[in-house]
Amino acid sequence: MNVDTWFFNLSKPLQIVLLCIPFVGWIVDALVRWSIYIKKNTTTNLVMAIVITLIGGSWIVTLFDGIWYAVQGSLFFQE
């Protein structure tokens, strides 16, 4: 699963837009986090993948992740 590679190869403004669009951001964020977990089996990545999958559809979580990515350059709690 190379969704994370695809996502991180996009331009940063496009990444932020994809994360901030309701429903689309949830799907992209969940797929990227599961892809990261598959590559780097860490507990933090697993927990965040589960959290985003279960409550990421609330849009507030993915909006926060988009803002965090814009400021920090990485997803929230990504290893």
Side-chain angles (χ1 to χ4, degrees):
M1 196 168 176
N2 292 320
V3 178
D4 60 330
T5 305
W6 165 80
F7 179 76
F8 292 123
N9 285 333
L10 296 173
S11 66
K12 191 166 185 174
L14 183 57
Q15 293 170 340
I16 294 166
V17 168
L18 282 175
L19 287 174
C20 292
I21 297 173
F23 190 71
V24 173
W26 173 50
I27 298 297
V28 169
D29 204 6
L31 289 174
V32 169
R33 289 196 180 269
W34 282 109
S35 180
I36 291 170
Y37 170 69
I38 289 169
K39 289 182 180 179
K40 303 176 183 178
N41 289 328
T42 64
T43 305
T44 306
N45 288 336
L46 175 62
V47 168
M48 287 307 296
I50 292 170
V51 167
I52 292 298
T53 302
L54 295 178
I55 65 170
S58 69
W59 188 65
I60 299 299
V61 176
T62 55
L63 180 64
F64 177 76
D65 216 10
I67 293 169
W68 185 271
Y69 187 76
V71 174
Q72 297 293 326
S74 67
L75 298 174
F76 190 67
F77 280 126
Q78 172 199 343
E79 290 185 5

